[in-house]
Amino acid sequence: MPRSAAPLTAPLDALARTLTPGALSVDGAARRAASTDRSGAVPRGLPRAVVRAGSADDVAATLTWATAHRVPVVPRGAGTGLAGGATAGEGSVVLDLFGLDAILDLRPGDGLAVVQPGVITADLDRAARAHGLCYAPDPASVEISTIGGNIATNAGGLRCVKYGVTRDAVLGLDVVLADGTRLRTGRETVKGVSGYDLTSLITGSEGTLAVIVAATVRLLPAPAVTGTAAAFFGSVRDAAAACAAVLDAGLRPSTLELLDGATLAAIDAAHGSGHRARGEAFVLARTDGFAAGAEIAEVERVLARTATHTEVTADPAEAERLVAARRLALPAVEKLGPVLIEDIAVPRSRLAEAAGAIAAISARTGVPVFTLAHAGDGNLHPLVVDGPGAGDVVAEIFRLALDLGGTVSGEHGVGLLKRPWLAAEHGAAALAVQRRIKDALDPAGILNPGKAI
């Protein structure tokens, strides 16, 4: 909670007078909808109010008021987060940025766009492609998640192996600090090293250091050619080892994804497909660029060494069918009941070890675990069916990640749910430094307290 938190009687009417008319809502349904995100975490009580920001001025006014009255503020985008970072409980005010959804500038010659935080990720990519460009970050939630939320969590996605995570696409940020101060970080140039890198610091800080009101992001040339390969394997360990072999061969596909047999069966049950009958694990690989055809042929050659079946296509419709299997994975598993959506990453050389160990944990405990992975960067998403023993299985998976030299969060963020593991991963000294940074930028402690660090 904020330092010296104010009583619940802090004057909302005074805040309302500083905002765009109608921006402040105390409606019960609105507060309830804004209290949770996709993580399933349920906070204690409901937020006092929701501010639907219509401008950066609304953001600044809200934070100025909140600092003065020591009221916690929870920034929110589309609510697609999976770590509880946008949960808001009693006494807080939700700062909803979803309505700040304009693409302010798109400059093909400079390869950049300036966008507000509520822009849907896929919409930015589509706008860029109209100019022969693309926005490379590609989270699985690309059609519903926002740029601001992606930046707040440093989201990853399917194309990370070649193009990196969201941080690699962010050139600069327009933010509002906790006391209402406006700040512009970064640059509009491809290169620039003057000053501390505040842009990278704020990216991934999960709304605990500043609130993003605009972002300058990098756009890249849209690939002229794309190749797609799919392969099935006799075990998830074999599939993970084949992915490592692709990278060891010096190949860098834009996408290298893995689904285990349990996940394939869930997709089949939800959509009537026949993936599971073809193998115990599935690998999807994509290449792009002028040499995509030659590169995907070499990827397929490496996968075929241990695969039970492979196929390659340059046909967009067929490629989309193969990609759909990966995008349908999480919704298919969620049809089976509540799941704990986990997010670990290990060194790429230990991916097969991690995948095999997770399967063994599931078999030993009897707790169903469905594993999908951004195999190209060692990022695994074990989906643990909630129920008896699920919490213990999650803890065992986190310990496994750390024992293998990995992390408890590859791309979803820490939020509320993973904070207990930070000391084990980072150590006391690193956490103390992070808290000093937090105190410097948010001395009243009002920005998303209890999250991220």
Side-chain angles (χ1 to χ4, degrees), residues 109-155:
D110 290 324
L112 64 81
V114 181
V115 301
Q116 291 183 314
V119 171
I120 298 296
T121 312
D123 289 344
L124 173 58
D125 186 49
R126 282 187 281 266
R129 287 179 186 269
H131 299 273
L133 302 171
C134 71
Y135 179 66
D138 184 37
S141 59
V142 64
E143 292 289 348
I144 54 175
S145 62
T146 62
I147 295 295
N150 291 172
I151 295 172
T153 58
N154 192 25

Side-chain angles (χ1 to χ4, degrees), residues 27-37 46-47 50 52 76 78-79 86 94:
D27 174 73
R31 291 186 292 136
R32 190 171 298 106
S35 68
T36 60
D37 57 18
L46 294 179
V50 178
R52 296 188 177 94
R76 179 183 181 84
V94 174

Side-chain angles (χ1 to χ4, degrees), residues 326-342:
R326 170 60 182 86
R327 295 204 185 275
L328 291 171
L330 176 56
V333 174
E334 288 181 319
K335 288 181 179 294
L336 303 177
V339 294
L340 306 176
I341 304 168
E342 298 309 333

Side-chain angles (χ1 to χ4, degrees), residues 65-122:
W65 173 88
T67 290
H69 296 283
R70 300 299 194 265
V71 174
V73 173
V74 179
R76 179 183 181 84
T80 60
L82 296 168
T87 55
E90 186 177 10
S92 64
V93 168
V94 174
L95 184 51
D96 186 343
L97 304 162
F98 194 69
L100 298 179
D101 59 358
I103 297 176
L104 302 174
D105 195 9
L106 200 157
R107 289 155 43 187
D110 290 324
L112 64 81
V114 181
V115 301
Q116 291 183 314
V119 171
I120 298 296
T121 312

